[in-house]
């Protein structure tokens, strides 16, 4: 931990996002209460937990990405960790979220050439004051021992809140672009915080495929 980190711990010790006990970002009891999706057990296409052989979440839907994983469900206490991290800028939760993502992506070890993040829109960056997805993608890259690359930019403002499934997909067309002068690796893993309909990750995937990626898989911390 660096000097600033030590100071932050003294002034305001990190607390469990679930129950508020100081000392850990999520205490063992709250961690075991979190609705996590065991790696390798979710729907191969959309990452949803499977209750039987066919996934009701993605039936009849098409995605540009070939496969998806989600670390858990967006329910307390995991939803609380995500909110504290994203909306209260409590960056000490990045390591925990990164660790959960790494575990979810472990079955893909050896597959990607690089990991990138869904870039935040300029509006969300201004509201939050930091890029919340890049640290998560960097954790996954480190865990899978492949490069973290900044491949994408948010090409235009595309707020997804309040939109339905089809509207979200249409809204994401052209929302992302590959950064100028960047060469896109063949196998790319894209990381985001929350998987709602998959439209955002689908939009990011379409930009990467158009720029030369051969296969894109996606990972999100939590499934809404
Ligand atoms: Zn707790
Ligand atoms: Zn599915």
């Amino acid at each position: 931990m660096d000097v600033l980190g030590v100071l932050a711990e003294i002034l305001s010790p990190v607390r469990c996002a679930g129950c508020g006990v100081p000392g850990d970002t999520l205490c063992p009891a709250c961690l075991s209460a979190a609705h996590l999706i065991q790696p390798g057990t979710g729907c191969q296409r959309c990452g949803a937990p499977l209750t039987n052989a066919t996934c009701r979440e993605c039936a009849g839907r098409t995605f540009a990405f070939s496969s998806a994983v989600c670390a858990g469900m967006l329910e307390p206490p995991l939803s609380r960790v995500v909110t504290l991290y994203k909306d209260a800028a409590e960056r000490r939760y990045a390591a925990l979220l990164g660790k959960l993502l790494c575990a979810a992506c472990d079955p893909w070890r050896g597959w990607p050439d690089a990991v990138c993040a869904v870039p935040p829109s300029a509006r969300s960056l201004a509201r939050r004051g930091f890029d919340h997805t890049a640290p998560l993608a960097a954790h996954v890259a480190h865990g899978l021992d492949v490069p973290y690359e900044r491949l994408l930019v948010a090409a235009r403002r595309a707020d997804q809140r309040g939109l339905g499934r089809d509207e979200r997909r249409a809204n994401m067309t052209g929302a992302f672009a590959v950064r100028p002068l960047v060469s896109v690796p063949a196998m790319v893993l894209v990381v985001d915080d929350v998987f709602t309909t998959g439209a955002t990750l689908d939009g990011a995937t379409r930009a990467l495929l158009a720029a030369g990626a051969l296969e894109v898989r996606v990972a999100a911390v939590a499934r809404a």
Side-chain angles (χ1 to χ4, degrees), residues 148-164:
Y148 160 67
E149 294 186 19
R150 296 179 66 217
L151 299 177
L152 294 167
V153 287
R156 60 174 174 78
R157 183 188 291 185
D159 200 325
Q160 294 283 74
R161 288 174 297 180
L163 299 181

Side-chain angles (χ1 to χ4, degrees), residues 16 19 27 30:
C16 170
C19 67
C27 75
C30 288

Side-chain angles (χ1 to χ4, degrees), residues 43 45-48 50 55 57-59:
C43 169
R45 291 186 71 226
C46 77
L50 284 178
C55 177
E57 289 290 315
C58 66

Side-chain angles (χ1 to χ4, degrees), residues 180-191:
L181 307 176
V182 159
S183 82
V184 174
M187 308 297 177
V188 185
L189 171 54
V190 188
V191 170

Side-chain angles (χ1 to χ4, degrees), residues 33-201:
H35 185 172
L36 300 179
I37 302 166
Q38 287 311 308
T41 66
C43 169
Q44 301 267 326
R45 291 186 71 226
C46 77
L50 284 178
T51 45
N52 53 39
T54 48
C55 177
R56 280 180 301 163
E57 289 290 315
C58 66
R61 301 180 58 201
T62 55
F63 299 114
F65 46 82
S66 62
S67 194
V69 292
C70 300
M73 299 303 288
L74 193 65
E75 298 166 5
L78 187 55
S79 55
R80 177 99 182 112
V81 180
V82 172
T83 303
L84 284 170
Y85 173 60
K86 274 172 75 171
D87 297 331
E90 181 44 276
R91 297 194 210 186
R92 286 176 291 185
Y93 292 103
L96 167 66
L97 296 175
K99 201 169 131 187
L100 295 176
L101 265 170
C102 280
C105 292
D106 198 62
W108 293 344
R109 186 170 289 280
W111 175 79
D113 295 319
V115 179
C116 75
V118 168
S121 65
R123 190 178 181 173
S124 114
L125 203 53
R127 188 173 68 236
R128 300 200 167 97
F130 76 115
D131 177 345
H132 66 289
T133 49
L136 304 180
H139 268 283
V140 174
H142 182 75
L144 296 182
D145 200 21
V146 294
Y148 160 67
E149 294 186 19
R150 296 179 66 217
L151 299 177
L152 294 167
V153 287
R156 60 174 174 78
R157 183 188 291 185
D159 200 325
Q160 294 283 74
R161 288 174 297 180
L163 299 181
R165 181 176 281 180
D166 293 339
E167 292 168 314
R168 279 175 178 251
R169 187 175 157 85
N171 189 41
M172 276 298 128
T173 299
F176 301 105
V178 168
R179 297 171 74 84
L181 307 176
V182 159
S183 82
V184 174
M187 308 297 177
V188 185
L189 171 54
V190 188
V191 170
D192 202 2
D193 53 352
V194 174
F195 187 114
T196 305
T197 64
T200 302
L201 282 160

